[in-house]
Amino acid sequence: MSLSVYNSLHRRKELFEPLEPNRVGMYVCGVTVYDYCHVGHARVMVVFDVIHRWLTELGFDVNYVRNFTDVDDKIIKRASERGIDIHQLTNEMIAAFQEDIGSLGCLPPSHEPRATAHMPDMVKMIGELVARKHAYVSSSGDVLYAVRSFDHYGQLSGKNIDDLESGSRVDVDDSKRDPLDFVLWKMAKPGEPAWDSPWGQGRPGWHIECSAMSCSHLGNTFDIHGGGMDLKFPHHENEIAQACASNDGSFARYWLHNGFVNINAEKMSKSLGNFFTIREVTKNYHPEVLRMFILGTHYRSPLDFSDSALDAAKAGLDRLYETLRRFKGETLDGRCEMSESLIPPAFTNAMNDDFNTTEALASLFDTNRALNKALNERADVSDLAAQFKAMLNLLAIGQHDAEAWFKGGDVDVARIEALIAERGESKKARDFARADAIRDALIAEGIVLEDSPSGTTWKKV
RNA sequence: GGCAGGGUGGCUCAGUGGUACGGCGGAGGACUGCAAAUCCUUUAUUCGCGAGUUCGAUUCUCGCCCCUGCCUCCA
């Protein structure tokens, strides 16, 4: 069974065939680093992390590039509000980003280029666009892209220039030949950070950096370009226009877009102000719960964020950890590593069908049940356990120590263990009143006891 | 207005031309001194509404209703 992916460019699922048989070049639009990441950002990172992992599992050598936009109007504004240099701000936010995304279990991409480190690439591409008459210097001195010069403008978003203009909310700007023309190089005002260019001191427009950085790392033509649905227009449309017009080649071949995170059926976004940062959420929930929550919905569907949804994700994850916990002392050595032969076909088929993590999870839970059953029956579980671990590793959940998962936090372990021992004695003496009193007291403080033939264990709820 | 994507049980979320996956929650049972955990059984005669195609549609076609998103920065 081979991999098929939904290509936004053609609005249909297509068989995935990379340019080179064993290699995949993938570019994902990262974040503008002026503030902490919210759950919407978390979704992109987790979604493409899973895609990255699955492509790797399929045997592809994946060159995964994800950028940082570290210069733009919002960054300049925020830095000036805080009275710091933009680099101080962006370094701080990049560090926070790495921490947040790392906590979600995302593997680092192959490259994480920063826009400010690619000025020559951008200047070169803009120069090419000017030379080919796809760009012009406006009366304000900014370099603009002439959308009418690119025949295929609108191919990704399925729009045509005239439709866009009829319903456009864009302010008409006299310096533009067409209202949809967008800036490639923005002239610096006094005091603003600036870089040299043939058109004067300034900074790049937002869209050019991704065209330049993706081409510079992956070549003019590469396999996958991804990002949030909201980037489809105008950002990705403009990227295509820039890249294709400057190198007369094609650009990314498969465009993958993930759906939004919603709150109360409304998109979570900075502009609406209805967002939760990753760090806010992980104050109350383990980051892996957030990952589980994201994996529970197919990446192209909207994802409704709420405490009850996180609670449900946590309950499901707890169930997996309960099983993991039963392996205490059992070795699975040499069988934990990913191996296609270990993965149930249902899981593989689900992942090969446009990365359907929801269905893959269903397969995982089936294995979970089979495993618990086998454990109950004291049967040999080595194969099931290896399958279970392989699937967990591919989704990057269940990655923590099961005991720590249930017992973590600020609890007095010694005291609890002492009480459990005391209850054990009471049970032996058939003083159930005393035993139950101890258990009830612990429940009152959020500690649940679980008896088993091999002894009593506990967990925090 | 243009374009795109949706409406599946109490909640959530997959999916298929032959009456529907998984998770959460609920109910019953096994296990247990009782629980918890686990396992078993069960929880939509039904997939927004209407019509059409078909032996048969939730799945295909058409119409309608409703929701969301993009068209400005946005993951």
Side-chain angles (χ1 to χ4, degrees):
Chain A
M1 162 106 187
S2 40
L3 174 67
S4 56
V5 303
Y6 183 88
N7 188 352
S8 300
L9 193 57
H10 303 134
R11 283 174 224 106
R12 62 171 186 233
K13 270 188 207 172
E14 295 174 349
L15 194 64
F16 179 71
E17 291 172 312
L19 284 166
E20 293 177 57
N22 299 312
R23 302 166 64 100
V24 172
M26 175 164 86
Y27 186 91
V28 173
C29 286
V31 292
T32 301
V33 280
Y34 70 103
D35 206 346
Y36 296 116
C37 288
H38 58 69
V39 178
H41 300 114
R43 189 178 194 191
V44 192
M45 304 312 154
V46 168
V47 161
F48 284 96
D49 180 62
V50 169
I51 290 174
H52 176 204
R53 286 170 185 268
W54 186 248
L55 290 170
T56 304
E57 169 65 18
L58 291 179
F60 294 114
D61 178 11
V62 184
N63 191 185
Y64 175 18
V65 181
R66 185 179 64 205
N67 73 299
F68 286 116
T69 298
D70 64 347
V71 56
D72 99 313
D73 292 357
K74 288 192 288 276
I75 292 172
I76 294 170
K77 180 162 177 273
R78 180 64 57 88
S80 106
E81 282 165 5
R82 291 181 53 183
I84 56 177
D85 180 77
I86 64 161
H87 298 295
Q88 210 177 321
L89 174 66
T90 56
N91 284 335
E92 181 187 323
M93 289 305 152
I94 287 172
F97 173 92
Q98 303 289 21
E99 207 179 291
D100 292 345
I101 300 311
S103 79
L104 295 174
C106 297
L107 295 172
S110 322
H111 300 283
E112 295 183 276
R114 301 183 184 201
T116 53
H118 282 264
M119 288 298 165
D121 292 322
M122 294 183 231
V123 167
K124 191 177 159 210
M125 189 174 270
I126 296 169
E128 197 62 44
L129 289 169
V130 171
R132 297 182 185 215
K133 310 280 189 215
H134 285 294
Y136 59 97
V137 178
S138 75
S139 53
S140 61
D142 294 344
V143 183
L144 300 178
Y145 188 98
V147 295
R148 297 268 176 195
S149 74
F150 183 63
D151 290 343
H152 303 294
Y153 195 80
Q155 66 177 125
L156 175 66
S157 49
K159 302 169 189 298
N160 68 61
I161 297 177
D162 297 318
D163 283 348
L164 282 166
E165 285 175 6
S166 63
S168 178
R169 286 176 280 171
V170 185
D171 290 333
V172 177
D173 178 344
D174 289 340
S175 65
K176 291 181 175 181
R177 288 182 192 167
D178 189 287
L180 290 170
D181 288 353
F182 56 91
V183 69
L184 295 169
W185 191 259
K186 188 167 180 167
M187 299 305 287
K189 296 194 186 85
E192 286 182 343
W195 287 260
D196 288 325
S197 86
W199 312 280
Q201 288 248 309
R203 61 179 182 276
W206 176 36
H207 314 295
I208 194 71
E209 64 171 273
C210 287
S211 299
M213 288 193 278
S214 55
C215 290
S216 124
H217 280 87
L218 300 169
N220 288 163
T221 304
F222 56 94
D223 299 301
I224 296 174
H225 193 128
M229 209 83 94
D230 46 356
L231 297 185
K232 213 162 153 185
F233 189 90
H235 184 56
H236 289 162
E237 195 69 60
N238 291 351
E239 276 190 58
I240 292 172
Q242 292 163 338
C244 291
S246 68
N247 65 24
D248 42 57
S250 55
F251 186 43
R253 304 166 62 241
Y254 297 90
W255 287 83
L256 272 49
H257 292 101
N258 65 275
F260 299 127
V261 175
N262 294 155
I263 290 187
N264 299 323
E266 214 177 31
K267 177 188 170 188
M268 179 185 289
S269 76
K270 291 268 182 173
S271 20
L272 291 171
N274 59 350
F275 61 90
F276 289 93
T277 62
I278 295 172
R279 16 196 84 194
E280 281 170 327
V281 175
T282 55
K283 255 190 273 177
N284 299 319
Y285 294 91
H286 192 287
E288 205 174 81
V289 170
L290 187 50
R291 187 177 177 101
M292 182 72 175
F293 162 69
I294 291 168
L295 262 27
T297 300
H298 182 79
Y299 78 90
R300 284 190 282 112
S301 300
L303 177 58
D304 282 307
F305 181 85
S306 67
D307 278 355
S308 61
L310 287 171
D311 289 339
K314 180 183 184 304
L317 197 50
D318 280 347
R319 212 155 105 70
L320 300 175
Y321 271 107
E322 289 281 4
T323 305
L324 234 26
R325 184 186 212 188
R326 299 177 73 178
F327 291 124
K328 190 171 44 182
E330 292 190 39
T331 52
L332 294 164
D333 41 7
R335 313 227 29 186
C336 298
E337 79 278 7
M338 299 177 201
S339 160
E340 206 165 347
S341 61
L342 282 177
I343 301 168
F347 186 96
T348 301
N349 291 341
M351 291 302 285
N352 274 336
D353 183 13
D354 197 29
F355 314 104
N356 193 332
T357 52
T358 314
E359 241 185 69
L361 278 175
S363 164
L364 175 64
F365 277 104
D366 286 343
T367 301
N368 182 253
R369 182 174 303 105
L371 190 46
N372 273 315
K373 195 175 175 182
L375 283 163
N376 288 349
E377 293 163 357
R378 299 178 183 282
D380 174 33
V381 296
S382 54
D383 282 347
L384 281 170
Q387 281 180 23
F388 188 59
K389 289 287 288 181
M391 289 187 278
L392 288 173
N393 290 345
L394 275 162
L395 298 173
I397 51 177
Q399 300 299 297
H400 299 275
D401 178 78
E403 290 300 323
W405 177 262
F406 290 115
K407 295 178 177 174
D410 48 347
V411 285
D412 186 344
V413 175
R415 196 183 120 258
I416 292 167
E417 309 261 311
L419 285 168
I420 287 174
E422 191 190 333
R423 172 169 169 274
E425 291 305 314
S426 303
K427 277 175 67 178
K428 242 182 228 167
R430 302 197 67 78
D431 180 359
F432 297 120
R434 175 67 191 145
D436 291 353
I438 293 171
R439 187 174 63 196
D440 291 345
L442 284 170
I443 286 172
E445 49 186 289
I447 305 295
V448 174
L449 301 189
E450 294 177 0
D451 292 338
S452 81
S454 54
T456 299
T457 184
W458 58 276
K459 67 181 177 186
K460 244 185 104 182
V461 289

